Amino acid sequence: MPLLDIQGLRISFVTDEGAIQAVDDVSFSLSEGEVVALVGESGSGKSVTALSLARLLQTPPAHYNGGRILFENRDVLSLNRKELQNLRGGKIAYVFQEPSTSLNPVFRVRSQIEESLNLHRPELKRLDRPAEIIRLLQTVGIQDPERTMEAYPHQLSGGMQQRVMIAMAIACHPSLLVADEPTTALDVTIQAQILDLLRELRKKLGMAVLLITHNFAIVSNLADRVLVMYKGKIVEQGPAAQVLKQPVHPYTKALMACIPRLGVKQKRLVCIDREALAQAI
Ligand code: ADP
Ligand code: MG
């Protein structure tokens, strides 16, 4: 039984210009402890898919108009409010690109992590929480956890904010971590550190990771499997090594041809020829 099993998922948005089918008959599954990368160009439906897993999309404008999401064998689309609250930030945790989506600027790091412990790990006694917060900050590689927990988010660098967000995410022992372009806003060396951290945490905590990225280097370093999304559909999926080595779908080939390679002279970057691609698909 997979940890997550999505079948025929369809999600649309009603806008002034009509309805957009953002997710169009998507099916995939994820096993316990597995790292799956979801790749695709901007607007292909990656974030909407990710947010739907814990029903984080506002409805309306979003509409779930087909399919099924089973998480730990439970039907997410029919959970009640209380059950959803337990799921969000509990069994399914999110890390986003923008610190502002997860960190509240007016609270210290300590109280933000404490809030999630309070909500999702009520068995942990109040007195034991500071030690747990320090332990979590250490787990995500923060050298000076006592000082960091008393800081406000704006007093921390981008990389440190990202580590704090990861600490909040793992505080509740999730079985699935959804990371939506977690390193896109960071500079390259910090990106590498955060990715190392994710790899280490996955090993240590045994959680599954759904990693959204448009960076194929990240896919080859971290993912067991890859899903390629295009215009709301999954157009290719398979083991990461195989998809990277021998992409089958024309869109995946086109996406990979856009990656500049070290040591390979190219007069100009290859662009996706949309008309040719539309014909091929
Ligand atoms: P990405 O692959 O870049 O993460 P998204 O999943 O964010 O793409 O978006 C998929 C599609 O859904 C896009 O066409 C986007 O414009 C549309 N969309 C996403 N959120 C909304 C919204 N709140 N209202 C209307 N359209 C939306
Ligand atoms: Mg997105």
Side-chain angles (χ1 to χ4, degrees):
M1 181 55 64
L3 178 71
L4 173 74
D5 187 39
I6 296 186
Q7 291 298 330
L9 185 65
R10 292 168 55 80
I11 299 166
S12 63
F13 287 93
V14 176
T15 69
D16 294 343
E17 280 115 55
I20 300 169
Q21 195 66 48
V23 173
D24 191 1
D25 195 13
V26 159
S27 303
F28 68 91
S29 62
L30 229 145
S31 303
E32 263 172 50
E34 192 182 25
V35 179
V36 172
L38 180 57
V39 302
E41 66 185 350
S42 173
S44 55
K46 306 182 298 295
S47 295
V48 172
T49 303
L51 291 169
S52 73
L53 305 182
R55 256 171 58 202
L56 287 175
L57 296 165
Q58 215 183 4
T59 49
H63 292 270
Y64 291 88
N65 46 8
R68 197 192 65 183
I69 303 172
L70 285 185
F71 180 74
E72 293 184 336
N73 220 11
R74 294 206 303 168
D75 182 357
V76 173
L77 296 181
S78 59
L79 295 182
N80 64 31
R81 255 177 78 146
K82 179 88 182 113
E83 292 167 326
L84 275 177
Q85 205 181 37
N86 286 334
L87 187 69
R88 296 169 180 158
K91 288 285 192 170
I92 303 184
Y94 285 83
V95 178
F96 298 102
Q97 175 184 337
E98 277 297 314
S100 59
T101 48
S102 310
L103 296 177
N104 188 327
V106 301
F107 293 110
R108 295 178 197 274
V109 165
R110 169 204 195 104
S111 62
Q112 305 201 38
I113 300 182
E114 195 162 14
E115 189 190 337
S116 100
L117 289 176
N118 190 16
L119 207 63
H120 295 285
R121 284 171 60 192
E123 77 289 353
L124 192 70
K125 291 195 192 73
R126 186 173 285 271
L127 273 174
D128 294 333
R129 285 188 202 146
E132 178 62 5
I133 294 169
I134 288 174
R135 197 191 64 77
L136 283 162
L137 292 174
Q138 278 166 340
T139 306
V140 298
I142 287 176
Q143 307 286 336
D144 192 355
E146 284 88 356
R147 207 170 67 189
T148 305
M149 72 189 234
E150 301 306 336
Y152 289 95
H154 75 269
Q155 295 172 313
L156 305 172
S157 68
M160 288 282 274
Q161 290 179 349
Q162 194 60 268
R163 284 178 196 270
V164 169
M165 286 195 280
I166 296 172
M168 282 169 68
I170 62 170
C172 310
H173 303 155
S175 41
L176 173 61
L177 179 72
V178 181
D180 191 347
E181 307 205 19
T183 60
T184 308
L186 303 173
D187 70 48
V188 179
T189 36
I190 311 290
Q191 261 186 33
Q193 290 171 12
I194 297 290
L195 291 169
D196 282 346
L197 172 65
L198 283 178
R199 189 180 308 116
E200 201 182 292
L201 288 178
R202 176 255 183 139
K203 230 174 29 202
K204 202 145 114 192
L205 308 176
M207 61 192 176
V209 181
L210 180 66
L211 179 67
I212 297 179
T213 178
H214 48 247
N215 183 333
F216 278 92
I218 295 179
V219 176
S220 70
N221 272 329
L222 217 61
D224 303 313
R225 229 155 27 91
V226 53
L227 312 170
V228 183
M229 212 166 170
Y230 179 66
K231 285 192 178 167
K233 292 182 189 294
I234 295 199
V235 292
E236 178 161 1
Q237 56 177 307
Q242 183 187 316
V243 173
L244 291 176
K245 199 164 160 229
Q246 261 175 340
V248 175
H249 195 276
Y251 173 65
T252 317
K253 287 183 187 167
L255 202 61
M256 289 183 59
C258 296
I259 310 169
R261 281 166 219 277
L262 274 182
V264 177
K265 258 199 179 159
Q266 241 166 16
K267 283 212 181 71
R268 46 181 296 193
L269 277 178
V270 181
C271 289
I272 294 182
D273 178 345
R274 289 184 176 279
E275 276 177 28
L277 189 61
Q279 279 168 11
I281 297 167

